[in-house]
Amino acid sequence: QVQLVESGGGLVQAGGSLRLSCAASGSIFSINAMSWYRQGPGKQRELVATIRSAGSTNYADSVEGRFTISRENAKNTVYLQMNSLKPEDTAVYYCTAYITTTARSSTSYWGQGTQVTVSS
């Protein structure tokens, strides 16, 4: 089994910064990609950022230039550095990873989410 645990969410004023962390653990053979999604009040879940095994990254237009996704492969951990936060960034942020287990089964795994609230 694989588990993903997020941390780092909280309350911050507009213009401030937060750093989210997500650590994967369990019977992992390889991690092909890790991403951050978010879902704001009354909104659909959206993809925020992705980092792939070779290191390439993608960002949603709404966060480009403000957020940075990074990883520490030895720790099976992905980070999301969020700067210049805006009230519209308020959402539950979810970590997800596409993982091949030691049993050679590949699928996406999701964390439970962490709340980010940005006040005006």
Side-chain angles (χ1 to χ4, degrees), residues 3 5 7 15 29-31 40 62 69 72 85 91 100 105 120:
Q3 292 182 322
V5 179
S7 62
F29 180 79
S30 64
I31 300 178
S62 59
I69 188 169
E72 292 189 43
L85 283 162
T100 300
S105 175
S120 300

Side-chain angles (χ1 to χ4, degrees), residues 89-117:
D89 295 319
T90 295
V92 177
Y93 284 71
Y94 298 91
C95 173
T96 185
Y98 189 71
I99 291 173
T100 300
T101 68
T102 53
R104 306 303 175 92
S105 175
S106 298
T107 191
S108 294
Y109 295 86
W110 290 78
Q112 292 298 116
T114 184
Q115 177 70 49
V116 172
T117 302

Side-chain angles (χ1 to χ4, degrees), residues 9-18 82 84-87 89-90 115-120:
L11 175 65
V12 66
Q13 289 185 297
S17 298
L18 285 173
M82 305 185 294
S84 302
L85 283 162
K86 304 174 181 179
D89 295 319
T90 295
Q115 177 70 49
V116 172
T117 302
V118 184
S119 62
S120 300

Side-chain angles (χ1 to χ4, degrees), residues 16-114:
S17 298
L18 285 173
R19 190 192 194 202
L20 305 183
S21 299
C22 174
S25 61
S27 55
I28 298 169
F29 180 79
S30 64
I31 300 178
N32 301 290
M34 300 185 81
S35 299
W36 289 95
Y37 286 77
R38 68 185 182 186
Q39 187 167 23
K43 299 179 180 179
Q44 294 292 306
R45 183 176 294 177
E46 65 174 340
L47 177 63
V48 177
T50 296
I51 186 164
R52 300 176 180 84
S53 58
S56 63
T57 58
N58 292 96
Y59 297 93
D61 289 343
S62 59
V63 307
E64 182 74 47
R66 299 188 297 120
F67 291 10
T68 302
I69 188 169
S70 61
R71 67 185 182 189
E72 292 189 43
N73 290 339
K75 299 179 180 179
N76 289 330
T77 299
V78 64
Y79 305 95
L80 186 68
Q81 178 66 46
M82 305 185 294
N83 298 326
S84 302
L85 283 162
K86 304 174 181 179
E88 51 263 43
D89 295 319
T90 295
V92 177
Y93 284 71
Y94 298 91
C95 173
T96 185
Y98 189 71
I99 291 173
T100 300
T101 68
T102 53
R104 306 303 175 92
S105 175
S106 298
T107 191
S108 294
Y109 295 86
W110 290 78
Q112 292 298 116
T114 184

